[in-house]
Amino acid sequence: MGRSVTNKPPVPASESSGSNRLRPNVPIAVRAANLLRRRLRQEFAHGGRLPSEHEIAVELGISRGTVRQALAILQQEGVITRQQGSGTYANPTVLGIPARIDFAYEFGQLIENSGLRADIQTLEVSTTMADADAARRLSIVDGDPVLLVRKVFLADGQPAIYGHELLPLHLVREAYAAGELEGPIFRFIERRCLTRVDYILSELVPTTASALVASLLDLAEHTPLLQFVEVMYSPRNQPLVLASIYFRDPPIRFHALRKLVPLD
Amino acid sequence: MGRSVTNKPPVPASESSGSNRLRPNVPIAVRAANLLRRRLRQEFAHGGRLPSEHEIAVELGISRGTVRQALAILQQEGVITRQQGSGTYANPTVLGIPARIDFAYEFGQLIENSGLRADIQTLEVSTTMADADAARRLSIVDGDPVLLVRKVFLADGQPAIYGHELLPLHLVREAYAAGELEGPIFRFIERRCLTRVDYILSELVPTTASALVASLLDLAEHTPLLQFVEVMYSPRNQPLVLASIYFRDPPIRFHALRKLVPLD
DNA sequence: AAGTGGTCTAGACCACCTT
DNA sequence: AGGTGGTCTAGACCACTTT
């Protein structure tokens, strides 16, 4: 009969009144994970046991299921480990890693995570034609026009990352200023392309510095270095950007975390 | 009021009678994910829409929540994409990747995923003393005895991966045969060390082939190649193994998948 | 025995897309 | 309007560790 009992949650205990939330659609579990991650980096940077699921649930005014969802995110990231019967523990080893390969989105951020000051230097913004390989990877036709952006990222003034990005021109739906392309390209896509980057697939190519890359990254020619050849995709699985990125080893050294998955 | 209603689940609809399950402690959600992953690689290798959560739940005789947990695993891996209001879709791009950096556990498996025949050649099994760097990374004392294993992995007869592994001797609790160390080292650890490898933290080091590595991997000296310097950890966060692995680029080229995480 | 994490169920409501 | 995924709650039971 009538409306059944529903339990609109009593607001996640962050800002109970005033402007209810900054972004509306961020799930409580994700916000709780973000909150706990910040606490981990502050209070638990050197390890320690977190409160129990029940205590966190009460503290944040959410259900245990939602707390578990938040903790699952952090466990997946490796920043906590959990022991049945004992508790949830911070993992200082993982918390201390500045460059996780699976979290390398904004390269400026990547540099700052390493404790360095980041500067971006835009070398070129132009339109050109896709070659055969680029066209194939972007699901467009050889010769189609693409936006080309070339950048160097500096860490404490020293060149650290060089990259060039290709964005098919047909994706751009609105007029734009050249300056807009100096920030992260996914911000540009969100603003001007009616879509967003959902995931990035990178090929890890071991290489050595060419004359061009050596001069841009202030390296001796033939110095070993890591290259990403990456394609960025929309939620609908459409290729949006083809990029090629070169990372100078000092200061950027990537880490990967592998967790064993159970089989049946 | 005696026992309340409990709902022992009606057995996951795989093998209802006989030997109930092969491994007892694998969660239904993980088994469902494994089952669906196999179906994806078979029926959905070229894309397509999966049944709805409700249909899967009915088919497998489990609740929608458990189905969602299974699908969350596959979504995290990137092999499916989901669109609210529309459905769950296979992602052929990701399904086709043979060498995901975050799934690189058994290198023999890695080679076979690329469609090649894998062979393992054990070069050396011995005990030695940890140097200062190894001791630090393994949380032991400089000079402590360690097991040393050196191997080459062949792909279709051609050398593809070279690695050496160090395992502190004090972790080994039982007598063992040298042959046991020719398989994957985490199997050895499970059998002989009263613990297991929970996760692996790898440093990605761009390098070029030394004389030794060049000869072992049948490369010209100074050929660019990717090195992993990795530490394997127990669930209690204890370092178990320090390894150094070199991957010849053909045939092994790694891929990384990065998914954007929402902030609040 | 008590506390902790691990799993699963059931149900409600919402947001979104398709028809 | 109906179906689909997205989120959250509540409760039950289990397995494990600690006291």
Side-chain angles (χ1 to χ4, degrees), chain B residues 148-222:
Chain B
L148 165 66
V149 184
R150 301 198 308 131
K151 291 179 199 163
V152 168
F153 293 77
L154 307 176
D156 277 358
Q158 300 297 315
I161 303 171
Y162 163 63
H164 63 258
E165 306 170 308
L166 299 178
L167 170 67
L169 208 55
H170 76 86
L171 292 170
V172 184
R173 297 304 168 92
E174 301 182 50
Y176 60 93
E180 293 182 51
L181 281 157
E182 299 190 3
I185 200 160
F186 16 91
R187 303 245 178 283
F188 178 82
I189 289 170
E190 281 172 25
R191 235 190 345 262
R192 300 296 183 194
C193 297
L194 301 177
T195 184
R196 63 177 179 81
V197 175
D198 185 52
Y199 67 96
I200 305 174
L201 198 49
S202 302
E203 253 181 74
L204 277 56
V205 185
T207 186
T208 56
S210 65
L212 171 69
V213 170
S215 75
L216 288 171
L217 292 185
D218 191 21
L219 285 169
E221 233 181 297
H222 308 306

Side-chain angles (χ1 to χ4, degrees), chain B residues 232-253:
Chain B
M232 305 173 29
Y233 291 89
S234 77
R236 271 17 191 279
N237 242 355
Q238 181 184 28
L240 301 176
V241 175
L242 172 64
S244 187
I245 323 278
Y246 298 84
F247 301 91
R248 198 184 193 284
D249 186 320
I252 305 291
R253 173 167 291 187

Side-chain angles (χ1 to χ4, degrees), chain B residues 138-150:
Chain B
L138 288 170
S139 299
I140 59 178
V141 173
D142 190 353
D144 275 3
V146 290
L147 264 170
L148 165 66
V149 184
R150 301 198 308 131

